[in-house]
Amino acid sequence: DQQVKQNSPSLSVQEGRISILNCDYTNSMFDYFLWYKKYPAEGPTFLISISSIKDKNEDGRFTVFLNKSAKHLSLHIVPSQPGDSAVYFCAAISLYGNKLVFGAGTILRVKS
Amino acid sequence: NAGVTQTPKFQVLKTGQSMTLQCAQDMNHEYMSWYRQDPGMGLRLIHYSVGAGITDQGEVPNGYNVSRSTTEDFPLRLLSAAPSQTSVYFCASSRGVYTEAFFGQGTRLTVV
């Protein structure tokens, strides 16, 4: 039973346009959310995070939105660049746990 | 600046063999963890440690052992390898569970 779900296995976007990656979660005790990016043959790298007390966090071209009532978060990349092509993982941490739970990942392809 | 170092990068084992995947970090992080990545499953937590001498189970601990005798090292032992343990294994470290995790480059393990 996946507590963190990324229902889109892949997404293809034109260079310069917006990429929107979605993530849903089922555990209402999750209070901190992170996005990681992974290139082939490399380990994941941290991208951006958001606490449950916020609904938006921005870092350059990357913005994460959190909708607690819908148990939904999204990562916006504007503008998308070919170097953004990677697998993006959504992850969450429970207030009462020490465990980082990951979604299955979404493959983003940015076409030039 | 090594970060998180995993060895080996590739390994082929026969069913029933045992082996240890090594993980070392030089950032003085208290929190370390092991994940496995399988297609369509994302990253699943195997075991984690919140400090030297303290370990706990993650989502998929069966068939694996860990120990944490020093802050720097967190080896993962496969007791009797099975084909179901064919996967890519990632070690990660962070200052705490609510902070950015740094991942190693991964170990691709094949059990035949």
Side-chain angles (χ1 to χ4, degrees):
Chain A
D1 180 28
Q2 279 197 311
Q3 299 183 67
V4 177
K5 300 178 185 178
Q6 294 178 257
N7 292 320
S8 298
S10 64
L11 174 67
S12 186
V13 170
Q14 199 67 34
E15 180 180 7
R17 306 294 289 267
I18 184 171
S19 295
I20 300 176
L21 295 99
N22 293 304
C23 178
D24 297 295
Y25 60 96
T26 58
N27 188 342
S28 58
M29 299 307 294
F30 286 146
D31 68 336
Y32 196 71
F33 304 88
L34 308 93
W35 285 92
Y36 284 83
K37 180 166 92 171
K38 185 184 178 305
Y39 293 118
E42 294 184 11
T45 55
F46 171 75
L47 197 54
I48 192 169
S49 62
I50 187 166
S51 165
S52 61
I53 63 172
K54 294 185 173 182
D55 54 18
K56 177 182 173 182
N57 189 26
E58 284 182 82
D59 184 1
R61 296 185 297 114
F62 302 91
T63 303
V64 56
F65 296 92
L66 175 62
N67 182 335
K68 288 193 295 286
S69 61
K71 294 193 179 68
H72 177 83
L73 64 156
S74 60
L75 174 68
H76 293 212
I77 306 173
V78 183
S80 300
Q81 298 173 354
D84 295 330
S85 297
V87 179
Y88 289 79
F89 291 101
C90 172
I93 301 169
S94 166
L95 177 64
Y96 297 109
N98 286 318
K99 303 174 187 178
L100 187 60
V101 180
F102 282 84
T106 297
I107 300 170
L108 174 65
R109 295 187 187 90
V110 180
K111 299 176 288 187
S112 56
Chain B
N1 191 8
V4 179
T5 303
Q6 287 184 238
T7 54
K9 287 190 168 50
F10 301 94
Q11 183 71 49
V12 179
L13 284 180
K14 293 184 178 177
T15 298
Q17 286 185 314
S18 63
M19 80 159 294
T20 300
L21 307 186
Q22 301 291 345
C23 176
Q25 52 94 4
D26 61 0
M27 296 172 282
N28 202 31
H29 286 167
E30 290 295 325
Y31 190 92
M32 295 187 74
S33 50
W34 275 102
Y35 293 87
R36 58 178 288 174
Q37 184 191 8
D38 302 292
M41 305 289 287
L43 292 151
R44 293 182 293 168
L45 182 64
I46 304 171
H47 285 286
Y48 66 98
S49 169
V50 298
I54 306 169
T55 63
D56 205 348
Q57 297 181 349
E59 301 171 70
V60 288
N62 292 341
Y64 307 95
N65 270 356
V66 292
S67 60
R68 185 95 181 270
S69 56
T70 67
T71 299
E72 296 77 20
D73 300 299
F74 191 45
L76 178 72
R77 282 182 289 277
L78 279 71
L79 309 172
S80 176
S84 61
Q85 294 179 304
T86 293
S87 187
V88 181
Y89 291 84
F90 290 99
C91 177
S93 77
S94 61
R95 288 196 315 274
V97 70
Y98 280 88
T99 58
E100 170 191 354
F102 294 82
F103 283 81
Q105 288 204 310
T107 296
R108 183 173 293 275
L109 175 69
T110 302
V111 182
V112 298

